[in-house]
Every structure is written in structure tokens, then in C-alpha cells.
Amino acid sequence: MGTVDFQQLEEKFALTLHELENTVLTIPASDLLIAEPMQHLIDTYGSLIKAREPAATAAFFVSWFAGVCGAMQHMLYVGNEVILDLSLSNLTVQLYIDGQYPLFGFKINETRFSDVSAVDLEEEYKRMLHVFYKEQVTPIIQLLSGLVPIHATALWGQIGNALYAQLEEELAEASDEDSRNRIVYFYEWLTQDLDPSAFGLSSNPFNRKPRFIEHPSIPDRKIRMKTACCLAYCLEGDFGYCYECPRLKEKDRTIMRANK
């Protein structure tokens, strides 16, 4: 039976069991479903990252919340027979300052678990994942997309980008072929087979045909283009577009490769 590695959850997925220092804002995660506290979070975080557009703040926040989604995915990878409760009612959002950078941590209020039926482990995983997205993630995306406003697909894209990066990292760290196959299986189930009703959409937002581009510094190697722009160009300062950004023109990527 797999066990929950809380240190790994903290290092990789921004989950913690602790009250963090230098907090600027602390709110129950369940308040993310209410317009007023969500707006307060966006306003506070936006001022700290100096976002010119609230859409950028929303995208950056969702990229942080993607860690909660990644933690759920990881627990399935490792085959836990108990799944840590990552519902909004069991999390507290902590916005804090580390040095000069504003970061998010998601405090686990109680270390409570849901048992997974050993009779049909896989089907129970699928049911839990469907409920997790339908009840914990989708309502946040829906509220933010109307509040900011920003299109929901742009927000789902932040989670998709994070989960694909996690996939590559998990595969690189896997110790054997069986582990790699399991990682890919659950990623493909999430991105291709999870019913669209979990997202309140007509199609699964993670089911996007991947596009690959030349690696910026390694010849004959390809990397995946992001599915959505992170909107970093909307922050104060000359950030421009990331190399993997879908908004970047190929001629600009050529210049970036030439300049390393």
C-alpha cells in the first residue's frame, strides 16, 4: 500500500501541514467559491506581482492551485489505498512572502483520508478524480472566469501545463517500466477519458493535441508548446512571452534560439 509523503507534497505541490511565516493573506479555501473573498485574493496578489491585468493574476493563482491537482494525480500514480482529503473544506490558502517573492501554500487542516475500495481500485480512483474536479476545481475556474474576466480554457490551460510538466518529471524519476506505464496511464485517463461533465464543459479541457517545437538550445530535440499563455507579459517589467508560449511567433522563437 502506498503511503502519503508529506515532505514531497510540500516540496512539489505547495501543500503543507504548517502555518507559514510572513503571510499576507490567509483564507479558508472554501471561500474561493465566494466572489468577495476571491476578489480580495486577486486584488492582493495582483498588487504584489504588479500585474497590469487581473487576468494575469488569475492565471498565476490557478498555476499555483494546480499543485493541489498534481498532488491528487501523484497519489493515484503511487497506488495509495487511502487518498488524502484535498477538498476545499480541508485546505487553507496562505499567501506569503519568501524573500521578495509572493508565494502560495495550501495548508492541510486535518490529515484525514478517504479509503479506496480494494475490490476495484482503479474504478474507485476514477470516481474520486471525477468528483475532485467537479466539486473542488471546476467551481473555482467558473467563478474566476466570470469575475476577472478570463476565458475558462485559459485557466484550465494553466493546470494542463503544470500537469504535463509533472508527467515529464515523474517519468524521469520512475524506477522501472511498470511505474512509467502507470504514470502515463493515469495521465492519459485524466486528459482523454475523464468525462467532460467533471469540468462543466462539452469537452475535456486537458484533451488537446500536443504541439512540439524545437528545443531552444539542444539541436534535434523537441519540447512541447504550452497549451495556454501564462500571461507573464501582463506583469510590470519587460517579461515578454515564454519560449514555449502558444502566442509567440516562430520567427521570434528563431531569434530566441539564436540568442540562447
Side-chain angles (χ1 to χ4, degrees), residues 197-244:
S197 62
F199 310 103
L201 299 170
S202 59
S203 62
N204 185 323
F206 299 139
N207 190 1
R208 296 290 181 267
K209 184 177 180 179
R211 297 169 60 191
F212 292 90
I213 54 178
E214 290 186 44
H215 193 283
S217 59
I218 303 176
D220 301 321
R221 182 173 173 181
K222 300 287 186 180
I223 59 173
R224 180 168 169 161
M225 184 187 298
K226 291 181 178 180
T227 57
C229 175
C230 69
L231 303 182
Y233 72 91
C234 292
L235 303 184
E236 186 176 281
D238 188 18
F239 286 95
Y241 294 116
C242 306
Y243 180 81
E244 301 93 340

mmCIF file of all heavy atoms in Angstrom, residues 197-244:
data_model
loop_
_atom_site.group_PDB
_atom_site.id
_atom_site.type_symbol
_atom_site.label_atom_id
_atom_site.label_comp_id
_atom_site.label_asym_id
_atom_site.label_seq_id
_atom_site.Cartn_x
_atom_site.Cartn_y
_atom_site.Cartn_z
ATOM 1 N N SER A 197 -18.268 16.302 -18.057
ATOM 2 C CA SER A 197 -19.181 16.831 -17.034
ATOM 3 C C SER A 197 -18.431 17.202 -15.759
ATOM 4 O O SER A 197 -18.907 18.039 -14.980
ATOM 5 C CB SER A 197 -20.284 15.819 -16.714
ATOM 6 O OG SER A 197 -19.736 14.617 -16.175
ATOM 7 N N ALA A 198 -17.266 16.605 -15.542
ATOM 8 C CA ALA A 198 -16.463 16.955 -14.370
ATOM 9 C C ALA A 198 -15.979 18.397 -14.443
ATOM 10 O O ALA A 198 -15.692 19.014 -13.418
ATOM 11 C CB ALA A 198 -15.265 16.015 -14.250
ATOM 12 N N PHE A 199 -15.907 18.937 -15.658
ATOM 13 C CA PHE A 199 -15.401 20.291 -15.865
ATOM 14 C C PHE A 199 -16.511 21.287 -16.210
ATOM 15 O O PHE A 199 -16.232 22.457 -16.442
ATOM 16 C CB PHE A 199 -14.361 20.293 -16.991
ATOM 17 C CG PHE A 199 -13.304 19.237 -16.837
ATOM 18 C CD1 PHE A 199 -13.344 18.067 -17.593
ATOM 19 C CD2 PHE A 199 -12.265 19.394 -15.937
ATOM 20 C CE1 PHE A 199 -12.376 17.090 -17.450
ATOM 21 C CE2 PHE A 199 -11.291 18.424 -15.787
ATOM 22 C CZ PHE A 199 -11.348 17.269 -16.539
ATOM 23 N N GLY A 200 -17.740 20.797 -16.279
ATOM 24 C CA GLY A 200 -18.847 21.655 -16.668
ATOM 25 C C GLY A 200 -18.738 22.123 -18.099
ATOM 26 O O GLY A 200 -19.236 23.196 -18.453
ATOM 27 N N LEU A 201 -18.109 21.316 -18.950
ATOM 28 C CA LEU A 201 -17.865 21.691 -20.336
ATOM 29 C C LEU A 201 -18.355 20.587 -21.270
ATOM 30 O O LEU A 201 -18.684 19.481 -20.837
ATOM 31 C CB LEU A 201 -16.365 21.936 -20.567
ATOM 32 C CG LEU A 201 -15.719 23.057 -19.744
ATOM 33 C CD1 LEU A 201 -14.205 23.018 -19.910
ATOM 34 C CD2 LEU A 201 -16.264 24.414 -20.170
ATOM 35 N N SER A 202 -18.369 20.886 -22.544
ATOM 36 C CA SER A 202 -18.776 19.885 -23.541
ATOM 37 C C SER A 202 -17.625 18.979 -23.935
ATOM 38 O O SER A 202 -17.825 17.951 -24.582
ATOM 39 C CB SER A 202 -19.336 20.584 -24.790
ATOM 40 O OG SER A 202 -18.359 21.442 -25.364
ATOM 41 N N SER A 203 -16.395 19.349 -23.550
ATOM 42 C CA SER A 203 -15.229 18.506 -23.846
ATOM 43 C C SER A 203 -14.219 18.640 -22.721
ATOM 44 O O SER A 203 -14.231 19.620 -21.959
ATOM 45 C CB SER A 203 -14.596 18.901 -25.186
ATOM 46 O OG SER A 203 -14.117 20.238 -25.138
ATOM 47 N N ASN A 204 -13.363 17.665 -22.609
ATOM 48 C CA ASN A 204 -12.319 17.664 -21.584
ATOM 49 C C ASN A 204 -11.276 18.732 -21.930
ATOM 50 O O ASN A 204 -10.657 18.665 -22.991
ATOM 51 C CB ASN A 204 -11.678 16.274 -21.541
ATOM 52 C CG ASN A 204 -10.662 16.117 -20.427
ATOM 53 O OD1 ASN A 204 -9.918 17.049 -20.102
ATOM 54 N ND2 ASN A 204 -10.597 14.935 -19.849
ATOM 55 N N PRO A 205 -11.050 19.738 -21.069
ATOM 56 C CA PRO A 205 -10.119 20.823 -21.415
ATOM 57 C C PRO A 205 -8.663 20.384 -21.467
ATOM 58 O O PRO A 205 -7.822 21.116 -21.989
ATOM 59 C CB PRO A 205 -10.344 21.845 -20.292
ATOM 60 C CG PRO A 205 -10.799 21.025 -19.131
ATOM 61 C CD PRO A 205 -11.646 19.935 -19.732
ATOM 62 N N PHE A 206 -8.354 19.206 -20.913
ATOM 63 C CA PHE A 206 -6.982 18.698 -20.955
ATOM 64 C C PHE A 206 -6.703 17.885 -22.219
ATOM 65 O O PHE A 206 -5.560 17.542 -22.495
ATOM 66 C CB PHE A 206 -6.694 17.815 -19.729
ATOM 67 C CG PHE A 206 -6.829 18.537 -18.420
ATOM 68 C CD1 PHE A 206 -7.426 17.921 -17.331
ATOM 69 C CD2 PHE A 206 -6.361 19.838 -18.264
ATOM 70 C CE1 PHE A 206 -7.538 18.577 -16.110
ATOM 71 C CE2 PHE A 206 -6.475 20.503 -17.049
ATOM 72 C CZ PHE A 206 -7.063 19.871 -15.981
ATOM 73 N N ASN A 207 -7.774 17.572 -22.945
ATOM 74 C CA ASN A 207 -7.613 16.751 -24.150
ATOM 75 C C ASN A 207 -7.306 17.656 -25.337
ATOM 76 O O ASN A 207 -8.179 18.006 -26.118
ATOM 77 C CB ASN A 207 -8.873 15.930 -24.408
ATOM 78 C CG ASN A 207 -8.670 14.893 -25.496
ATOM 79 O OD1 ASN A 207 -7.579 14.762 -26.049
ATOM 80 N ND2 ASN A 207 -9.714 14.149 -25.808
ATOM 81 N N ARG A 208 -6.050 18.043 -25.441
ATOM 82 C CA ARG A 208 -5.604 18.926 -26.516
ATOM 83 C C ARG A 208 -4.463 18.249 -27.268
ATOM 84 O O ARG A 208 -3.549 17.687 -26.654
ATOM 85 C CB ARG A 208 -5.111 20.264 -25.949
ATOM 86 C CG ARG A 208 -6.203 21.080 -25.253
ATOM 87 C CD ARG A 208 -7.203 21.625 -26.255
ATOM 88 N NE ARG A 208 -8.244 22.439 -25.618
ATOM 89 C CZ ARG A 208 -9.404 21.963 -25.211
ATOM 90 N NH1 ARG A 208 -9.671 20.668 -25.362
ATOM 91 N NH2 ARG A 208 -10.305 22.748 -24.656
ATOM 92 N N LYS A 209 -4.532 18.313 -28.578
ATOM 93 C CA LYS A 209 -3.465 17.715 -29.376
ATOM 94 C C LYS A 209 -2.160 18.459 -29.115
ATOM 95 O O LYS A 209 -2.085 19.681 -29.275
ATOM 96 C CB LYS A 209 -3.812 17.791 -30.864
ATOM 97 C CG LYS A 209 -2.784 17.098 -31.756
ATOM 98 C CD LYS A 209 -3.203 17.147 -33.213
ATOM 99 C CE LYS A 209 -2.168 16.444 -34.091
ATOM 100 N NZ LYS A 209 -2.572 16.468 -35.521
ATOM 101 N N PRO A 210 -1.123 17.741 -28.674
ATOM 102 C CA PRO A 210 0.132 18.433 -28.350
ATOM 103 C C PRO A 210 0.836 18.958 -29.592
ATOM 104 O O PRO A 210 0.778 18.350 -30.662
ATOM 105 C CB PRO A 210 0.963 17.335 -27.667
ATOM 106 C CG PRO A 210 0.426 16.045 -28.212
ATOM 107 C CD PRO A 210 -1.045 16.293 -28.427
ATOM 108 N N ARG A 211 1.468 20.105 -29.425
ATOM 109 C CA ARG A 211 2.284 20.689 -30.493
ATOM 110 C C ARG A 211 3.721 20.784 -29.978
ATOM 111 O O ARG A 211 3.960 21.230 -28.851
ATOM 112 C CB ARG A 211 1.750 22.071 -30.865
ATOM 113 C CG ARG A 211 0.343 22.062 -31.427
ATOM 114 C CD ARG A 211 -0.215 23.477 -31.530
ATOM 115 N NE ARG A 211 0.604 24.319 -32.399
ATOM 116 C CZ ARG A 211 0.458 25.641 -32.491
ATOM 117 N NH1 ARG A 211 -0.436 26.266 -31.737
ATOM 118 N NH2 ARG A 211 1.224 26.342 -33.310
ATOM 119 N N PHE A 212 4.648 20.368 -30.823
ATOM 120 C CA PHE A 212 6.044 20.336 -30.406
ATOM 121 C C PHE A 212 6.866 21.329 -31.225
ATOM 122 O O PHE A 212 6.595 21.551 -32.407
ATOM 123 C CB PHE A 212 6.615 18.921 -30.545
ATOM 124 C CG PHE A 212 6.006 17.944 -29.581
ATOM 125 C CD1 PHE A 212 4.868 17.218 -29.926
ATOM 126 C CD2 PHE A 212 6.552 17.767 -28.321
ATOM 127 C CE1 PHE A 212 4.298 16.329 -29.030
ATOM 128 C CE2 PHE A 212 5.986 16.879 -27.414
ATOM 129 C CZ PHE A 212 4.853 16.154 -27.774
ATOM 130 N N ILE A 213 7.838 21.914 -30.549
ATOM 131 C CA ILE A 213 8.702 22.909 -31.177
ATOM 132 C C ILE A 213 10.161 22.543 -30.905
ATOM 133 O O ILE A 213 10.451 21.700 -30.044
ATOM 134 C CB ILE A 213 8.409 24.323 -30.635
ATOM 135 C CG1 ILE A 213 8.493 24.336 -29.103
ATOM 136 C CG2 ILE A 213 7.041 24.804 -31.106
ATOM 137 C CD1 ILE A 213 8.261 25.688 -28.475
ATOM 138 N N GLU A 214 11.053 23.173 -31.635
ATOM 139 C CA GLU A 214 12.475 22.905 -31.431
ATOM 140 C C GLU A 214 12.914 23.322 -30.037
ATOM 141 O O GLU A 214 12.474 24.338 -29.504
ATOM 142 C CB GLU A 214 13.307 23.671 -32.469
ATOM 143 C CG GLU A 214 13.177 23.157 -33.890
ATOM 144 C CD GLU A 214 14.140 23.875 -34.830
ATOM 145 O OE1 GLU A 214 15.316 24.061 -34.436
ATOM 146 O OE2 GLU A 214 13.700 24.261 -35.922
ATOM 147 N N HIS A 215 13.792 22.512 -29.452
ATOM 148 C CA HIS A 215 14.367 22.859 -28.160
ATOM 149 C C HIS A 215 15.188 24.143 -28.318
ATOM 150 O O HIS A 215 15.850 24.328 -29.335
ATOM 151 C CB HIS A 215 15.257 21.717 -27.651
ATOM 152 C CG HIS A 215 15.654 21.841 -26.222
ATOM 153 N ND1 HIS A 215 16.642 22.699 -25.795
ATOM 154 C CD2 HIS A 215 15.182 21.216 -25.109
ATOM 155 C CE1 HIS A 215 16.776 22.592 -24.486
ATOM 156 N NE2 HIS A 215 15.899 21.711 -24.042
ATOM 157 N N PRO A 216 15.149 25.043 -27.331
ATOM 158 C CA PRO A 216 15.856 26.319 -27.500
ATOM 159 C C PRO A 216 17.377 26.208 -27.566
ATOM 160 O O PRO A 216 18.034 27.095 -28.112
ATOM 161 C CB PRO A 216 15.435 27.126 -26.270
ATOM 162 C CG PRO A 216 15.016 26.098 -25.273
ATOM 163 C CD PRO A 216 14.422 24.983 -26.066
ATOM 164 N N SER A 217 17.947 25.120 -27.048
ATOM 165 C CA SER A 217 19.407 25.028 -27.024
ATOM 166 C C SER A 217 19.976 23.666 -27.395
ATOM 167 O O SER A 217 21.190 23.531 -27.571
ATOM 168 C CB SER A 217 19.928 25.411 -25.626
ATOM 169 O OG SER A 217 19.384 24.551 -24.638
ATOM 170 N N ILE A 218 19.121 22.647 -27.525
ATOM 171 C CA ILE A 218 19.614 21.302 -27.864
ATOM 172 C C ILE A 218 19.129 20.939 -29.268
ATOM 173 O O ILE A 218 17.930 20.709 -29.470
ATOM 174 C CB ILE A 218 19.122 20.254 -26.850
ATOM 175 C CG1 ILE A 218 19.547 20.642 -25.431
ATOM 176 C CG2 ILE A 218 19.659 18.870 -27.198
ATOM 177 C CD1 ILE A 218 19.029 19.719 -24.353
ATOM 178 N N PRO A 219 20.037 20.876 -30.229
ATOM 179 C CA PRO A 219 19.637 20.544 -31.615
ATOM 180 C C PRO A 219 18.983 19.162 -31.700
ATOM 181 O O PRO A 219 19.316 18.251 -30.937
ATOM 182 C CB PRO A 219 20.972 20.578 -32.371
ATOM 183 C CG PRO A 219 21.880 21.415 -31.525
ATOM 184 C CD PRO A 219 21.476 21.161 -30.104
ATOM 185 N N ASP A 220 18.052 19.032 -32.631
ATOM 186 C CA ASP A 220 17.368 17.764 -32.911
ATOM 187 C C ASP A 220 16.536 17.251 -31.741
ATOM 188 O O ASP A 220 16.205 16.062 -31.676
ATOM 189 C CB ASP A 220 18.379 16.680 -33.324
ATOM 190 C CG ASP A 220 19.175 17.077 -34.545
ATOM 191 O OD1 ASP A 220 18.598 17.673 -35.460
ATOM 192 O OD2 ASP A 220 20.395 16.807 -34.571
ATOM 193 N N ARG A 221 16.212 18.133 -30.832
ATOM 194 C CA ARG A 221 15.341 17.744 -29.721
ATOM 195 C C ARG A 221 14.102 18.627 -29.730
ATOM 196 O O ARG A 221 14.187 19.819 -30.027
ATOM 197 C CB ARG A 221 16.064 17.874 -28.384
ATOM 198 C CG ARG A 221 15.203 17.433 -27.190
ATOM 199 C CD ARG A 221 16.011 17.418 -25.913
ATOM 200 N NE ARG A 221 15.171 17.162 -24.753
ATOM 201 C CZ ARG A 221 15.606 17.110 -23.503
ATOM 202 N NH1 ARG A 221 16.893 17.297 -23.258
ATOM 203 N NH2 ARG A 221 14.764 16.877 -22.510
ATOM 204 N N LYS A 222 12.953 18.024 -29.434
ATOM 205 C CA LYS A 222 11.690 18.753 -29.422
ATOM 206 C C LYS A 222 11.179 18.901 -27.996
ATOM 207 O O LYS A 222 11.422 18.054 -27.137
ATOM 208 C CB LYS A 222 10.636 18.009 -30.252
ATOM 209 C CG LYS A 222 11.010 17.813 -31.717
ATOM 210 C CD LYS A 222 10.906 19.108 -32.492
ATOM 211 C CE LYS A 222 11.135 18.867 -33.985
ATOM 212 N NZ LYS A 222 11.034 20.120 -34.768
ATOM 213 N N ILE A 223 10.482 20.005 -27.752
ATOM 214 C CA ILE A 223 9.779 20.190 -26.493
ATOM 215 C C ILE A 223 8.333 20.571 -26.800
ATOM 216 O O ILE A 223 8.018 21.025 -27.897
ATOM 217 C CB ILE A 223 10.434 21.270 -25.603
ATOM 218 C CG1 ILE A 223 10.466 22.625 -26.326
ATOM 219 C CG2 ILE A 223 11.820 20.848 -25.168
ATOM 220 C CD1 ILE A 223 10.932 23.759 -25.444
ATOM 221 N N ARG A 224 7.487 20.380 -25.825
ATOM 222 C CA ARG A 224 6.062 20.628 -26.045
ATOM 223 C C ARG A 224 5.733 22.105 -25.823
ATOM 224 O O ARG A 224 6.169 22.716 -24.852
ATOM 225 C CB ARG A 224 5.232 19.774 -25.088
ATOM 226 C CG ARG A 224 3.734 19.961 -25.245
ATOM 227 C CD ARG A 224 2.994 18.899 -24.488
ATOM 228 N NE ARG A 224 1.567 19.185 -24.410
ATOM 229 C CZ ARG A 224 0.633 18.274 -24.127
ATOM 230 N NH1 ARG A 224 0.982 17.041 -23.895
ATOM 231 N NH2 ARG A 224 -0.620 18.608 -24.061
ATOM 232 N N MET A 225 4.954 22.646 -26.734
ATOM 233 C CA MET A 225 4.448 24.005 -26.575
ATOM 234 C C MET A 225 3.381 24.007 -25.489
ATOM 235 O O MET A 225 2.613 23.052 -25.349
ATOM 236 C CB MET A 225 3.863 24.499 -27.896
ATOM 237 C CG MET A 225 3.386 25.942 -27.869
ATOM 238 S SD MET A 225 2.507 26.411 -29.397
ATOM 239 C CE MET A 225 3.813 26.206 -30.613
ATOM 240 N N LYS A 226 3.334 25.057 -24.689
ATOM 241 C CA LYS A 226 2.300 25.172 -23.674
ATOM 242 C C LYS A 226 0.925 25.260 -24.328
ATOM 243 O O LYS A 226 0.793 25.764 -25.449
ATOM 244 C CB LYS A 226 2.543 26.405 -22.804
ATOM 245 C CG LYS A 226 3.766 26.287 -21.911
ATOM 246 C CD LYS A 226 3.936 27.533 -21.060
ATOM 247 C CE LYS A 226 5.136 27.403 -20.131
ATOM 248 N NZ LYS A 226 5.328 28.618 -19.297
ATOM 249 N N THR A 227 -0.082 24.797 -23.621
ATOM 250 C CA THR A 227 -1.435 24.836 -24.179
ATOM 251 C C THR A 227 -2.101 26.185 -23.974
ATOM 252 O O THR A 227 -3.091 26.499 -24.632
ATOM 253 C CB THR A 227 -2.318 23.748 -23.540
ATOM 254 O OG1 THR A 227 -2.330 23.935 -22.121
ATOM 255 C CG2 THR A 227 -1.775 22.371 -23.849
ATOM 256 N N ALA A 228 -1.568 26.979 -23.047
ATOM 257 C CA ALA A 228 -2.145 28.302 -22.787
ATOM 258 C C ALA A 228 -1.052 29.251 -22.333
ATOM 259 O O ALA A 228 -0.095 28.848 -21.677
ATOM 260 C CB ALA A 228 -3.241 28.212 -21.724
ATOM 261 N N CYS A 229 -1.203 30.513 -22.680
ATOM 262 C CA CYS A 229 -0.262 31.540 -22.263
ATOM 263 C C CYS A 229 -0.423 31.800 -20.765
ATOM 264 O O CYS A 229 -1.543 31.868 -20.255
ATOM 265 C CB CYS A 229 -0.531 32.818 -23.050
ATOM 266 S SG CYS A 229 0.465 34.240 -22.541
ATOM 267 N N CYS A 230 0.691 31.958 -20.057
ATOM 268 C CA CYS A 230 0.636 32.228 -18.618
ATOM 269 C C CYS A 230 0.383 33.699 -18.317
ATOM 270 O O CYS A 230 0.202 34.078 -17.153
ATOM 271 C CB CYS A 230 1.930 31.772 -17.945
ATOM 272 S SG CYS A 230 3.377 32.759 -18.388
ATOM 273 N N LEU A 231 0.400 34.546 -19.340
ATOM 274 C CA LEU A 231 0.134 35.988 -19.230
ATOM 275 C C LEU A 231 1.208 36.743 -18.449
ATOM 276 O O LEU A 231 0.963 37.837 -17.928
ATOM 277 C CB LEU A 231 -1.247 36.248 -18.611
ATOM 278 C CG LEU A 231 -2.450 35.625 -19.338
ATOM 279 C CD1 LEU A 231 -3.745 36.001 -18.642
ATOM 280 C CD2 LEU A 231 -2.486 36.044 -20.792
ATOM 281 N N ALA A 232 2.412 36.181 -18.403
ATOM 282 C CA ALA A 232 3.510 36.882 -17.720
ATOM 283 C C ALA A 232 3.819 38.219 -18.383
ATOM 284 O O ALA A 232 4.325 39.138 -17.731
ATOM 285 C CB ALA A 232 4.755 36.003 -17.702
ATOM 286 N N TYR A 233 3.494 38.345 -19.666
ATOM 287 C CA TYR A 233 3.747 39.616 -20.358
ATOM 288 C C TYR A 233 2.865 40.741 -19.821
ATOM 289 O O TYR A 233 3.109 41.924 -20.118
ATOM 290 C CB TYR A 233 3.542 39.457 -21.868
ATOM 291 C CG TYR A 233 2.109 39.318 -22.303
ATOM 292 C CD1 TYR A 233 1.349 40.432 -22.650
ATOM 293 C CD2 TYR A 233 1.504 38.071 -22.378
ATOM 294 C CE1 TYR A 233 0.031 40.319 -23.041
ATOM 295 C CE2 TYR A 233 0.180 37.945 -22.764
ATOM 296 C CZ TYR A 233 -0.545 39.065 -23.094
ATOM 297 O OH TYR A 233 -1.854 38.938 -23.481
ATOM 298 N N CYS A 234 1.853 40.389 -19.015
ATOM 299 C CA CYS A 234 0.987 41.399 -18.411
ATOM 300 C C CYS A 234 1.498 41.870 -17.052
ATOM 301 O O CYS A 234 0.828 42.645 -16.368
ATOM 302 C CB CYS A 234 -0.431 40.845 -18.239
ATOM 303 S SG CYS A 234 -1.306 40.567 -19.792
ATOM 304 N N LEU A 235 2.682 41.392 -16.639
ATOM 305 C CA LEU A 235 3.268 41.860 -15.398
ATOM 306 C C LEU A 235 4.132 43.082 -15.680
ATOM 307 O O LEU A 235 4.617 43.280 -16.792
ATOM 308 C CB LEU A 235 4.116 40.765 -14.748
ATOM 309 C CG LEU A 235 3.426 39.428 -14.445
ATOM 310 C CD1 LEU A 235 4.391 38.510 -13.705
ATOM 311 C CD2 LEU A 235 2.155 39.627 -13.652
ATOM 312 N N GLU A 236 4.327 43.886 -14.649
ATOM 313 C CA GLU A 236 5.181 45.059 -14.794
ATOM 314 C C GLU A 236 6.607 44.600 -15.079
ATOM 315 O O GLU A 236 7.121 43.675 -14.454
ATOM 316 C CB GLU A 236 5.152 45.881 -13.502
ATOM 317 C CG GLU A 236 5.892 47.189 -13.600
ATOM 318 C CD GLU A 236 5.755 48.012 -12.324
ATOM 319 O OE1 GLU A 236 4.703 48.646 -12.143
ATOM 320 O OE2 GLU A 236 6.704 47.993 -11.515
ATOM 321 N N GLY A 237 7.257 45.221 -16.025
ATOM 322 C CA GLY A 237 8.592 44.791 -16.428
ATOM 323 C C GLY A 237 8.526 44.155 -17.800
ATOM 324 O O GLY A 237 7.466 43.749 -18.283
ATOM 325 N N ASP A 238 9.648 44.020 -18.425
ATOM 326 C CA ASP A 238 9.707 43.527 -19.800
ATOM 327 C C ASP A 238 9.886 42.010 -19.820
ATOM 328 O O ASP A 238 10.959 41.492 -20.118
ATOM 329 C CB ASP A 238 10.859 44.218 -20.547
ATOM 330 C CG ASP A 238 10.849 43.903 -22.034
ATOM 331 O OD1 ASP A 238 9.795 43.463 -22.529
ATOM 332 O OD2 ASP A 238 11.896 44.088 -22.682
ATOM 333 N N PHE A 239 8.811 41.271 -19.486
ATOM 334 C CA PHE A 239 8.898 39.817 -19.458
ATOM 335 C C PHE A 239 8.728 39.208 -20.857
ATOM 336 O O PHE A 239 9.338 38.217 -21.196
ATOM 337 C CB PHE A 239 7.837 39.244 -18.509
ATOM 338 C CG PHE A 239 8.170 39.440 -17.061
ATOM 339 C CD1 PHE A 239 7.675 40.529 -16.366
ATOM 340 C CD2 PHE A 239 8.982 38.552 -16.390
ATOM 341 C CE1 PHE A 239 7.970 40.729 -15.027
ATOM 342 C CE2 PHE A 239 9.301 38.734 -15.052
ATOM 343 C CZ PHE A 239 8.790 39.831 -14.368
ATOM 344 N N GLY A 240 7.853 39.811 -21.643
ATOM 345 C CA GLY A 240 7.596 39.252 -22.964
ATOM 346 C C GLY A 240 6.931 37.889 -22.866
ATOM 347 O O GLY A 240 6.325 37.530 -21.864
ATOM 348 N N TYR A 241 7.064 37.119 -23.921
ATOM 349 C CA TYR A 241 6.477 35.783 -23.978
ATOM 350 C C TYR A 241 7.527 34.726 -23.643
ATOM 351 O O TYR A 241 8.705 34.879 -23.967
ATOM 352 C CB TYR A 241 5.919 35.497 -25.369
ATOM 353 C CG TYR A 241 4.742 36.365 -25.767
ATOM 354 C CD1 TYR A 241 4.849 37.260 -26.838
ATOM 355 C CD2 TYR A 241 3.537 36.281 -25.094
ATOM 356 C CE1 TYR A 241 3.772 38.051 -27.205
ATOM 357 C CE2 TYR A 241 2.452 37.073 -25.470
ATOM 358 C CZ TYR A 241 2.577 37.954 -26.518
ATOM 359 O OH TYR A 241 1.515 38.740 -26.876
ATOM 360 N N CYS A 242 7.074 33.642 -23.002
ATOM 361 C CA CYS A 242 7.949 32.496 -22.765
ATOM 362 C C CYS A 242 8.256 31.819 -24.104
ATOM 363 O O CYS A 242 7.469 31.914 -25.061
ATOM 364 C CB CYS A 242 7.276 31.479 -21.842
ATOM 365 S SG CYS A 242 6.673 32.147 -20.283
ATOM 366 N N TYR A 243 9.352 31.098 -24.171
ATOM 367 C CA TYR A 243 9.739 30.406 -25.401
ATOM 368 C C TYR A 243 8.667 29.405 -25.832
ATOM 369 O O TYR A 243 8.408 29.234 -27.021
ATOM 370 C CB TYR A 243 11.077 29.683 -25.203
ATOM 371 C CG TYR A 243 11.548 28.935 -26.426
ATOM 372 C CD1 TYR A 243 12.194 29.610 -27.461
ATOM 373 C CD2 TYR A 243 11.334 27.563 -26.556
ATOM 374 C CE1 TYR A 243 12.609 28.932 -28.594
ATOM 375 C CE2 TYR A 243 11.744 26.881 -27.682
ATOM 376 C CZ TYR A 243 12.389 27.567 -28.700
ATOM 377 O OH TYR A 243 12.799 26.893 -29.828
ATOM 378 N N GLU A 244 8.011 28.759 -24.849
ATOM 379 C CA GLU A 244 7.015 27.732 -25.168
ATOM 380 C C GLU A 244 5.606 28.299 -25.320
ATOM 381 O O GLU A 244 4.648 27.552 -25.480
ATOM 382 C CB GLU A 244 6.989 26.656 -24.063
ATOM 383 C CG GLU A 244 8.303 25.953 -23.846
ATOM 384 C CD GLU A 244 9.133 26.642 -22.746
ATOM 385 O OE1 GLU A 244 8.852 27.826 -22.451
ATOM 386 O OE2 GLU A 244 10.043 26.000 -22.214
#
